[in-house]
Amino acid sequence: MTSPGAQTASLRSRNFVLFFTGRAVAKLGDAMLPLALSAGLIQQGHGPGAIGAALASLTVFLAGFVIFGGVFCDRFNTRALMIGSDLARVCTQGLMAALFLTGHVVLWQVCAIGAVNGICAGLFQPGVASTIPRVASDVQGANGLVRTAESLAMLLGPAAAGALVGSFSPGGVFVAHAATYALSAVCLALLRLPAQAPRAERPTYRADLAEGWREFRARTWMWSVIVIWMVYMVTVSGPLVPLTASEIIPADGPGVFGLVNSALGGGTALGGLLALRFRPVRQLRAGSYALLGCCLYPAAVGLALPPAAVMAAAALWGLGGGVWAVMWSTSVQTQVPGEILNRIHAYEVAGSLAMMPVGQALAGPAAQLFGGRTVLLTGGFLMIGVSAALLAVPAIRNLRAVTPGTALASSTGDTRAAGDRVPDRGA
């Protein structure tokens, strides 16, 4: 017989459906943003450097504030913090819409709004990791469904943004983006989550930050991935949007760029669906192999292949990234005890994103120095190196999935399966 607790945490429960809906809708708006921002700035006479700066302003503040967001989520009401962050972004995106609709677009104002959005995202993001295990007992299944929904939003978002930009204005996209945050806040407010156990009084915020850092550092598999990801952000992911936008939009128009991003979203959705069915014992090893397909997208744009070929390569990028994302999220949410999960997640998000603004900011200068296509081709080769580096670390490739019979140690960072002592660091 299924227990009431299991029923309320099933993938068909009211709580999960609301959370699922909120994440999918918010991701739809987020998927519109890069195209709207890129096309809008290009219309105002800006190049890849301005696009990179605008995108970097959000990422810098997200990476800088997410650690504090993790502490706040562990000390206060996680859901209230997430709702407040959504409502603040309704206001900022409304202001961005006004700038683009009136045609009074000033780069520093766009960057300032991006910075506020980054702070809000930094306060919101840590709560996602701890909310998923509270609304679904099948954590990998939940991550797979959420990733699939987010990916379908990525499929529809760029195409919708391209249509809005082409027939109306980038400002219309920002109006829609603000509405998605409003709906996300409503979905979170309607969740009926069980009361959490009272949290022990902690002496200071600094002590919480220090404890989170110790727990993060104790997990070799985690910090090794983050170190490799920092290189990936500088060399591949950071420059990708500014350079692909500056290559595709002038040559083929924003509609084609939207279709390419939609293909990427479709591939990511397929990756999420595959991860729903594929349950490897060593999740990060499987995800690392999946990342090999990501090398083709930047290379295809760098080689100036026809739009159809670029779309196919973007779909493979999404497929590999979708599988990796589910495997990584599930590993973090199942390998880390709940009482420190928000802070651990905050450190891994901060580390993952810390170098992205560097890559975004360097996209313009690198394109001027070497040529945008050369930088993209190099990124394709480096993507192979990222996958190889992940597989080369024993703690990553040997990390075993947590099963229902596995118990977690609360502070040592080790996972113990019944009858088999297996450290979560994979050593």
Side-chain angles (χ1 to χ4, degrees):
M1 180 179 294
T2 304
S3 68
Q7 292 174 354
T8 58
S10 75
L11 298 182
R12 297 181 180 180
S13 69
R14 177 181 182 275
N15 274 343
F16 180 72
V17 170
L18 283 170
F19 181 80
F20 174 88
T21 302
R23 294 303 302 147
V25 170
K27 182 58 70 173
L28 178 65
D30 291 342
M32 295 180 179
L33 180 62
L35 188 145
L37 198 55
S38 301
L41 290 173
I42 287 173
Q43 288 178 3
Q44 296 293 320
H46 296 286
I51 298 170
L55 295 173
S57 65
L58 187 152
T59 312
V60 165
F61 282 85
L62 167 58
F65 277 82
V66 71
I67 294 175
F68 300 100
V71 175
F72 293 150
C73 284
D74 273 340
R75 297 178 74 100
F76 303 116
N77 187 306
T78 301
R79 179 170 53 167
L81 197 61
M82 296 169 75
I83 293 171
S85 299
D86 272 341
L87 294 178
R89 286 181 286 185
V90 172
C91 298
T92 58
Q93 295 311 88
L95 180 57
M96 189 80 85
L99 292 179
F100 279 94
L101 287 172
T102 59
H104 296 99
V105 179
V106 181
L107 184 59
W108 75 262
Q109 294 174 343
V110 173
C111 292
I113 293 172
V116 176
N117 285 341
I119 294 172
C120 293
L123 296 174
F124 181 98
Q125 186 60 39
V128 174
S130 61
T131 302
I132 287 180
R134 297 180 69 195
V135 298
S137 54
D138 180 2
V139 177
Q140 182 171 332
N143 277 306
L145 285 174
V146 169
R147 173 60 56 175
T148 301
E150 291 178 347
S151 304
L152 289 173
M154 289 175 61
L155 176 67
L156 299 173
L164 282 171
V165 170
S167 61
F168 186 48
S169 161
V173 180
F174 290 106
V175 172
H177 196 191
T180 64
Y181 284 129
L183 185 54
S184 172
V186 170
C187 289
L188 289 170
L190 292 175
L191 289 178
R192 296 173 183 170
L193 298 177
Q196 292 179 288
R199 292 165 178 163
E201 193 67 29
R202 299 186 181 97
T204 63
Y205 287 96
R206 179 179 294 181
D208 273 353
L209 287 171
E211 181 186 16
W213 174 248
R214 286 194 303 271
E215 295 287 349
F216 173 78
R217 192 176 58 184
R219 292 164 170 81
T220 305
W221 62 270
M222 181 176 285
W223 65 255
S224 297
V225 169
I226 299 308
V227 169
I228 295 169
W229 223 244
M230 291 171 75
V231 177
Y232 159 77
M233 288 293 179
V234 173
T235 59
V236 184
S237 183
L240 189 66
V241 171
L243 294 184
T244 54
S246 62
E247 292 292 333
I248 296 173
I249 292 176
D252 301 301
V256 171
F257 188 57
L259 291 174
V260 169
N261 281 274
S262 293
L264 190 153
T268 310
L270 181 58
L273 289 173
L274 288 175
L276 274 173
R277 306 290 298 176
F278 180 42
R279 304 292 177 117
V281 174
R282 292 175 174 82
Q283 294 165 323
L284 296 186
R285 180 186 296 185
S288 299
Y289 279 119
L291 287 175
L292 283 170
C294 295
C295 68
L296 297 176
Y297 176 39
V301 180
L303 291 171
L305 297 182
V310 173
M311 290 172 63
L316 287 174
W317 170 286
L319 176 66
V323 172
W324 166 264
V326 172
M327 298 304 166
W328 171 251
S329 297
T330 302
S331 296
V332 173
Q333 293 162 16
T334 56
Q335 301 279 352
V336 178
E339 64 267 21
I340 58 169
L341 180 54
N342 287 323
R343 280 167 289 161
I344 289 283
H345 181 58
Y347 273 109
E348 61 101 354
V349 169
S352 296
L353 296 178
M355 302 308 292
M356 176 176 270
V358 177
Q360 291 169 333
L362 291 177
Q368 289 182 340
L369 187 60
F370 303 107
R373 292 180 181 176
T374 301
V375 176
L376 287 168
L377 277 171
T378 304
F381 284 110
L382 290 173
M383 194 65 230
I384 300 173
V386 168
S387 180
L390 290 169
L391 292 168
V393 180
I396 297 172
R397 69 172 185 267
N398 294 331
L399 182 70
R400 297 177 66 88
V402 172
T403 62
T406 303
L408 286 175
S410 63
S411 61
T412 63
D414 287 346
T415 302
R416 300 288 188 260
D420 183 18
R421 297 176 63 84
V422 182
D424 82 338
R425 293 184 289 274

